[in-house]
Each structure stands twice: as C-alpha cells, then as structure tokens.
Amino acid sequence: MAGVKLHYFNGRGKMESIRWLLAAAEVEFDECHLTTRDQYLKMVNDRDLMFQQVPMVEIDGMKLVQTKAILNYIAEKYKLHGNDIKERVKINMYVEGLMDLMEMIMMLPFTKEPKLDNIEKKAKERYLPVFEEQLKTGVHLVGGRMTVADVLLLECTLMLEELFPEILKNFRSVKDFQDRMQKEPAISRFLQPGSKRKPRPDDGYVKTVMEVFDLK
Ligand code: GSN
C-alpha cells in the first residue's frame, strides 16, 4: 500500500493538481473518496481537517491541508521546486497565476450562468502570452528542469483545450512544450486510461459536492 493517501471527492477540483504533481514525481498514492456528508463530518469531528476543508493529504505522518502548502511540500520533497529563493518565487508566481485560471474553470459546473467568453479572453490575453514568451527561450519555465510550474502549466493547457480546442493555435511555444511534457514517461502514464487522473466534472460529481457540504 502506498504511504500517501488523498482525501477528496472522486473528481478533479482542487485535488487534481496534487494528483498531477505526485504522478510527475512518480509517487504512488491511494485515495479515499468523499461521498457522504457523514464521512465529511466524521473527518471534521476527528480533527483530521485543520480548517474543516479538503483537500487533505496524509503524507510522512502528517495530515496536510491547503492546496498550495501541499503542492509546495511535494515539490520541495521531490525536487520539483526551484534551486534558490529567486527561482522559487518565480515558480510560485507561475503556479499562483495558473491556479487562478484553473479555479475559474473549476467553478464552471457550480455556476448558474458560466462566463466562458471571459475565461477564454483572460487565458488568451493575460495568461498564455506570459508562458509563450518564457518558453520561446527555454524548454522549461524555470531553471532548465521540470518544476511544479511546468506540471501545472501542462494540466492547465489540457483543461483549456477541453473547453477551447483551438486555444493554443497562436501559442506555438506553449503547444510544443505541451507535446514535450506529454512524452515524459511519468506524465505519459498519467495520461493513459485507467490512471488516477480524473475526468471532467459531471452532474454526479456536482451533486456529491453539494450534498457533502450541504449546499443548496
Ligand atoms: O486551497 C485550499 O485548499 C483552501 N484554501 C480551500 C479549500 C476549499 O475551499 N475546499 C472546499 C472543497 S474543494 N472546493 O472548492 C471545502 O472543503 N469546502 C467546505 C467548507 O466548509 O469550506
């Protein structure tokens, strides 16, 4: 049995970037899927969730919460972070930007009037140009080797293409980066059917989240 255990819904949400990073680091993990409110309340009562929120990851004898803290821990432990504080702050800036964009996509199934145009415009005008510029001169975003920023950029571009298949047409360097990253053995395995990568959210996923958190 793997030593790492993820506690979350059987869906992407905030846990998916953590799954991506563990897969890139070639770390095996188990998952405990949250399906009922009772299960969630038990975790709260047992004080397993510091702020009564998931994602929660059991690793190295700790119960970690807060997605960014978890990503940072995994990135540092498995050498997917920067070599010095200047590299690390740059990686953190990329990661924060990517998470802002992915959060907008993540919220779509829970939004009554989704503003897809706004997401596409922001992706094309605010986010993708930054990565295109950087990748014109390098194989990776920071430090000449794969980091958490690269992993999340790949995750994010694949999410964007699910919604806007042509979105990378004018971002050639990002597209080339995406192709290269998908050929990395660990990532290629994660992209195969049957891996722990989750599909796009469906009505069942939304219903479970609403029930577990008692949302109307
Ligand atoms: O990034 C983080 O992990 C935290 N800053 C937020 C975590 C969070 O919002 N978790 C949600 C479920 S995942 N979806 O958005 C959660 O546990 N909500 C329950 C609640 O009562 O806040």
Side-chain angles (χ1 to χ4, degrees), residues 8-9 14 40 52-55 66-68 213:
Y8 200 70
F9 303 98
K14 288 180 183 290
Y40 165 69
Q52 305 180 10
Q53 291 177 320
V54 288
Q66 290 294 353
T67 311
K68 290 170 197 164
F213 294 138

Side-chain angles (χ1 to χ4, degrees), residues 26-140:
E26 304 192 272
V27 177
E28 294 284 323
F29 58 87
D30 291 319
E31 298 196 58
C32 179
H33 293 145
L34 207 43
T35 55
T36 66
R37 180 150 181 84
D38 283 350
Q39 223 180 330
Y40 165 69
L41 292 175
K42 181 175 182 332
M43 289 176 85
V44 171
N45 286 333
D46 290 349
R47 298 185 181 280
D48 286 340
L49 309 175
M50 184 184 278
F51 300 114
Q52 305 180 10
Q53 291 177 320
V54 288
M56 190 270 273
V57 174
E58 289 186 70
I59 183 169
D60 297 337
M62 299 179 288
K63 290 180 175 166
L64 302 183
V65 295
Q66 290 294 353
T67 311
K68 290 170 197 164
I70 298 167
L71 287 170
N72 269 324
Y73 182 80
I74 296 165
E76 291 199 23
K77 178 165 177 168
Y78 295 102
K79 310 277 181 275
L80 290 164
H81 221 314
N83 288 316
D84 56 41
I85 56 168
K86 288 192 173 173
E87 280 190 7
R88 284 199 287 275
V89 76
K90 216 169 164 194
I91 289 167
N92 286 339
M93 291 195 298
Y94 287 136
V95 166
E96 293 276 346
L98 288 163
M99 287 180 72
D100 286 349
L101 178 53
M102 286 194 281
E103 179 110 10
M104 289 183 233
I105 298 173
M106 215 180 282
M107 291 315 292
L108 285 173
F110 299 93
T111 312
K112 284 214 171 68
E113 287 170 30
K115 294 194 170 63
L116 269 179
D117 288 356
N118 183 37
I119 296 178
E120 186 176 18
K121 185 171 158 57
K122 280 208 173 114
K124 280 183 176 166
E125 295 177 8
R126 181 179 296 189
Y127 294 99
L128 288 170
V130 171
F131 298 106
E132 179 66 18
E133 189 61 30
Q134 186 64 16
L135 290 167
K136 269 187 186 144
T137 54
V139 172
H140 294 290

